[in-house]
Amino acid sequence: MNELSGNEAFGNEVSGDRGLAVQFEGVSKRYRHFALEKIDLELPTGGVMGFIGANGAGKSTTIRILMGLVRPDEGTVRVLGRAMPAEQIAAKREIGFVSEDLRLYGAPSLRWHMEFVRKIYPRWDQPYAEELLRRFDLRPEQKIKGLSHGQRVKAALLLALARRPKLLVLDEPTTGLDPVARQEVLAELMAVLAEEDRTILFSSHNTLDVEQISDRITFIDRGRIIDSDDKETFLDRWRRLRLQLPPNAALPRLPGIVEVGGSGRLPVLTTNRFEPAMVYACNELGATVQAVDTMTLEEIFVANVHSRRTQTAHEMERQEVTA
């Protein structure tokens, strides 16, 4: 939990690479009980990436490296065309950061915070800030300590957005919000984003929140990137096939099968490489396809994690046998 303070809290102005806003190449960071291993990550300028992982998966460590707060043991990081952490002061001028544990000063008013940030950042857009006050239903004279948790999240978003940053980093911004406040924050955030061409990294363990605003999805688990693609491709290529097998028939061999569920003559196959031709192939092999189910992003994430962990466990077993 860090108090908001000057340049470190709000960042410090840079014209970034128009191709990639964020680029990680082979980034590793090792701690005693956790390691971030060989992270390759690219966020195109103007893109909105959902960065999904369970608690402890490595999301916060990745963001700390992105912000220049942690130096990687290996690899290179560029943010808005700047090498991190060497050029973090220049890069932070164009980064808006909002975290669930970012604390504003409690006693001063929101108006005081707005004036504070305006004095630091010359690109502060006062008319836009006033518009956000109305949109977020915030009163500038109210003290921060009198705001609800949802209102504090909206206040932090206002202070970040009104600076007109080139990159907006949202680290678990909806954590701890009640369902109504969470939907209000997401609805207002989506309305704001629809009107602006912004580059955003949205880190969360809540796939429903990420799915609503992201056009690209990256999954991280146990310190490793396990999959990354545009959202629609994820949703298109993952399916569950519910089959009925004739007596003594074997399971059809299909590409991209990551999980086999169900039982006996009613198996359920999960594939990450679905093609409509698979239905025809099953029928040709004597299996009846009872249903082809689409999957939510949460179901895709869970299946992906289980598949990778199982694959890793099998690889470790083979290494032990051959050692």
Side-chain angles (χ1 to χ4, degrees):
M1 304 284 282
N2 297 317
E3 288 288 342
L4 179 154
S5 59
N7 292 350
E8 181 175 348
F10 288 105
N12 260 324
E13 190 143 356
V14 62
S15 171
D17 187 313
R18 294 304 300 169
L20 294 175
V22 176
Q23 185 176 28
F24 280 52
E25 292 185 340
V27 172
S28 297
K29 180 65 181 180
R30 299 176 183 89
Y31 297 98
R32 183 177 179 182
H33 299 295
F34 175 78
L36 203 66
E37 292 286 357
K38 302 296 181 183
I39 297 296
D40 293 321
L41 184 67
E42 292 186 349
L43 173 54
T45 300
V48 181
M49 176 180 284
F51 192 42
I52 299 175
N55 292 331
K59 301 188 303 298
S60 293
T61 300
T62 303
I63 288 177
R64 291 190 185 102
I65 292 173
L66 182 155
M67 297 293 293
L69 302 176
V70 171
R71 183 181 295 273
D73 296 328
E74 298 172 6
T76 60
V77 180
R78 296 189 68 81
V79 179
L80 299 175
R82 303 284 187 178
M84 302 295 275
E87 300 177 86
Q88 62 173 295
I89 294 177
K92 283 182 179 179
R93 288 187 181 276
E94 294 293 351
I95 302 174
F97 177 68
V98 178
S99 172
E100 58 94 13
D101 65 353
L102 178 65
R103 296 176 59 190
L104 308 179
Y105 292 117
S109 67
L110 176 56
R111 177 71 72 188
W112 181 92
H113 283 81
M114 293 168 65
E115 288 298 313
F116 178 76
V117 178
R118 182 184 64 80
K119 292 175 182 178
I120 298 175
Y121 296 99
R123 290 185 59 187
W124 176 268
D125 188 334
Q126 186 61 28
Y128 184 44
E130 298 292 338
E131 177 188 337
L132 290 174
L133 280 172
R134 293 189 295 273
R135 181 170 290 177
F136 290 163
D137 193 25
L138 295 171
R139 292 178 296 170
E141 68 277 6
Q142 190 167 3
K143 293 183 178 180
I144 296 299
K145 64 182 179 182
L147 300 178
S148 68
H149 183 39
Q151 289 173 320
R152 292 189 188 196
V153 172
K154 291 179 181 180
L157 281 170
L158 181 153
L159 295 171
L161 290 169
R163 288 175 39 215
R164 299 288 189 181
K166 295 184 183 297
L167 172 64
L168 183 62
V169 179
L170 305 175
D171 186 15
E172 302 277 4
T174 57
T175 296
L177 296 180
D178 64 71
V180 174
R182 192 170 123 258
Q183 286 304 315
E184 287 179 348
V185 168
L186 287 172
E188 296 296 350
L189 182 58
M190 286 188 291
V192 168
L193 300 182
E195 300 168 2
E196 299 289 334
D197 181 19
R198 299 185 189 277
T199 305
I200 301 168
L201 179 67
F202 190 122
S203 169
S204 181
H205 65 273
N206 191 317
T207 57
L208 293 176
D209 291 354
V210 169
E211 188 171 359
Q212 291 185 62
I213 72 167
S214 303
D215 53 41
R216 186 171 184 84
I217 303 295
T218 295
F219 294 144
I220 185 170
D221 184 55
R222 295 179 175 177
R224 295 178 181 270
I225 300 295
I226 60 173
D227 209 348
S228 186
D229 213 330
D230 67 86
K231 181 177 67 178
E232 295 307 317
T233 298
F234 266 119
L235 297 175
D236 286 344
R237 64 182 171 89
W238 282 79
R239 290 288 190 278
R240 283 202 176 104
L241 281 68
R242 300 184 181 277
L243 308 182
Q244 181 175 3
L245 300 179
N248 302 318
L251 278 174
R253 290 183 174 272
L254 300 175
I257 298 300
V258 299
E259 190 175 80
V260 178
S263 60
R265 294 172 56 190
L266 299 173
V268 179
L269 308 183
T270 301
T271 177
N272 62 4
R273 292 167 56 188
F274 175 74
E275 295 287 345
M278 288 182 178
V279 176
Y280 176 77
C282 288
N283 292 334
E284 286 291 294
L285 294 170
T288 301
V289 180
Q290 295 184 313
V292 178
D293 298 336
T294 58
M295 298 174 63
T296 66
L297 193 61
E298 180 172 343
E299 290 172 329
I300 293 170
F301 171 62
V302 172
N304 210 327
V305 168
H306 286 170
S307 172
R308 296 304 177 102
R309 290 183 180 181
T310 300
Q311 180 180 342
T312 300
H314 288 166
E315 290 175 354
M316 293 177 64
E317 289 174 359
R318 286 196 293 268
Q319 290 173 2
E320 290 176 358
V321 169
T322 57

